[in-house]
Amino acid sequence: MNTKRVDVLNIFLIIISLITAIMLPFKLFLFSYAFLGPLHYLTEITWLRDKNYFLTAHKNWALVFLVLATLIAIAPIIIFSNIPLNPTIKHGLLILGKQTKIFLIIGFLFAISLLFLKTNKALAYALALIILVSFFTITYVPKPFFLIGAFLPTLVHVYIFTFFFIIYGAIKSKSQLGIYLGLLLLSVPFIITYIPLDYTNYTPSKATFEKFNSLNMMGIKAFIAKVCNNFRNDVFETLSDIGVRIQIFIAFAYTYHYLNWFSKTSIIGWKASITKKSVFFIIGIWLTAVGLCIYDFNTGLIALYFLSFLHVLLEFPLNVISIKAVMRATKRKRISKFFKCK
């Protein structure tokens, strides 16, 4: 499909994702995360590798993101798999497992460095400085870093970065419809805020609620609710009006993020990066992941833990490039020209 048809398709995907999220906010999120998510991770990582992770001359530095993903995943995978461990080693892994937000911030700041620094020596110094500053800041200024680290692999990744990716594509292809698509995406939170709904009709089953809690999204929802002043006696009510609306947004954001990726086959050419050999590899892992989620949801999540964070980290350089391109276009007022075209 050409760019215009893909943009039209994505407008329908936003509408369909929003309607489905309004109808089934908990089940849609679980379905998208467990079934669409793994296929997205695998195909995107393959595509990013084919594009040298958008690092041009610095592609070897992608190893940093691989190391960070391993550090993030190794503790929960080993601990939840109940492998017998020496108490000292287990304690060390527990400490390591609590540094996820720091590792994510290190990855994002390093991705920015990769865009501006030219020599390996400068990048090595930058990485060392970023590590020191990140650990220092999380110790003395924990709240801001906690929020950044918590939202980077979740709503920032699936919603904010998706918006910038859409606008970046619209600028490159000079698509006026792509700009409108991005604006439609931005309008979704406002639509969810003001649509009439009865939150008492959204009580999920016990099994669904337990699966949702296992994804550790309650902290994200609680923070959004706090910003919206929805705490009562310092307690967040998940099944309240604002709680359900937040869940609708989360279900929409994740679902559309995945669908947007799969709709871009002909535009960004990610299908061309998948060889016959990798097809069997991707399908095999995907079917295994889906099977594990059906057999035991928590086991499936642990199995996918590494891949989910790896794809987030490897995408950081592209995210930075997209944001920079949009900011540059805004500064030069190139986006406004789209609205003047007939």
Side-chain angles (χ1 to χ4, degrees), residues 9-292:
L9 172 62
N10 271 272
I11 289 173
F12 280 106
L13 290 177
I14 286 178
I15 295 171
I16 292 169
S17 299
L18 179 57
I19 292 173
T20 311
I22 292 171
M23 295 172 62
L24 302 165
F26 290 95
K27 289 184 178 180
L28 176 64
F29 172 69
L30 292 175
F31 172 81
S32 297
Y33 195 93
F35 290 86
L36 300 180
L39 194 57
H40 168 63
Y41 308 153
L42 293 163
T43 52
E44 185 177 23
I45 289 172
T46 303
W47 175 72
L48 288 170
R49 183 186 62 186
D50 189 59
K51 297 291 184 180
N52 292 325
Y53 309 103
F54 290 87
L55 297 179
T56 58
H58 301 308
K59 65 177 181 179
N60 291 333
W61 284 97
L63 181 64
V64 172
F65 301 116
L66 176 63
V67 171
L68 290 171
T70 303
L71 291 173
I72 290 171
I74 191 170
I77 288 176
I78 292 178
I79 292 170
F80 284 104
S81 60
N82 294 320
I83 297 175
L85 294 171
N86 178 282
T88 303
I89 296 175
K90 187 172 183 179
H91 179 68
L93 287 173
L94 286 171
I95 294 174
L96 186 67
K98 294 179 180 179
Q99 312 308 316
T100 297
K101 301 173 186 66
I102 299 179
F103 295 140
L104 287 165
I105 292 167
I106 290 171
F108 188 68
L109 293 177
F110 185 62
I112 296 174
S113 300
L114 286 165
L115 189 63
F116 293 99
L117 300 179
K118 304 300 181 182
T119 66
N120 289 330
K121 185 176 181 180
L123 286 168
Y125 283 133
L127 179 59
L129 181 61
I130 287 169
I131 292 172
L132 289 174
V133 170
S134 296
F135 276 95
F136 177 84
T137 307
I138 200 69
T139 302
Y140 295 98
V141 194
K143 191 172 181 179
F145 262 48
F146 171 81
L147 298 178
I148 296 170
F151 279 89
L152 263 177
T154 53
L155 292 182
V156 171
H157 175 77
V158 300
Y159 184 70
I160 302 299
F161 288 161
T162 299
F163 166 75
F164 277 105
F165 195 44
I166 289 172
I167 300 299
Y168 176 48
I171 293 170
K172 287 185 67 177
S173 61
K174 299 181 180 180
S175 170
Q176 183 178 3
L177 189 59
I179 299 296
Y180 290 127
L181 173 64
L183 294 176
L184 176 61
L185 181 63
L186 283 185
S187 72
V188 168
F190 299 98
I191 295 172
I192 294 173
T193 300
Y194 293 107
I195 57 170
L197 59 81
D198 182 1
Y199 69 89
T200 59
N201 294 327
Y202 285 89
T203 304
S205 66
K206 182 179 179 181
T208 298
F209 203 62
E210 287 177 352
K211 289 177 181 177
F212 176 78
N213 287 338
S214 66
L215 288 168
N216 199 29
M217 292 296 295
M218 290 303 297
I220 304 298
K221 290 187 65 176
F223 173 74
I224 298 174
K226 190 171 185 178
V227 172
C228 298
N229 196 27
N230 192 58
F231 270 58
R232 296 180 182 178
N233 299 322
D234 295 325
V235 176
F236 169 55
E237 297 183 2
T238 304
L239 299 177
S240 60
D241 182 73
I242 188 67
V244 169
R245 292 179 191 274
I246 292 170
Q247 179 55 38
I248 290 171
F249 173 67
I250 290 173
F252 162 80
Y254 273 82
T255 302
Y256 177 67
H257 173 71
Y258 299 140
L259 293 179
N260 173 263
W261 167 256
F262 294 125
S263 73
K264 296 292 180 69
T265 304
S266 58
I267 298 299
I268 63 176
W270 63 259
K271 185 179 179 181
S273 64
I274 300 176
T275 63
K276 291 182 179 180
K277 183 179 179 180
S278 62
V279 165
F280 292 104
F281 180 74
I282 289 171
I283 292 177
I285 294 180
W286 179 65
L287 290 175
T288 301
V290 170
L292 284 172

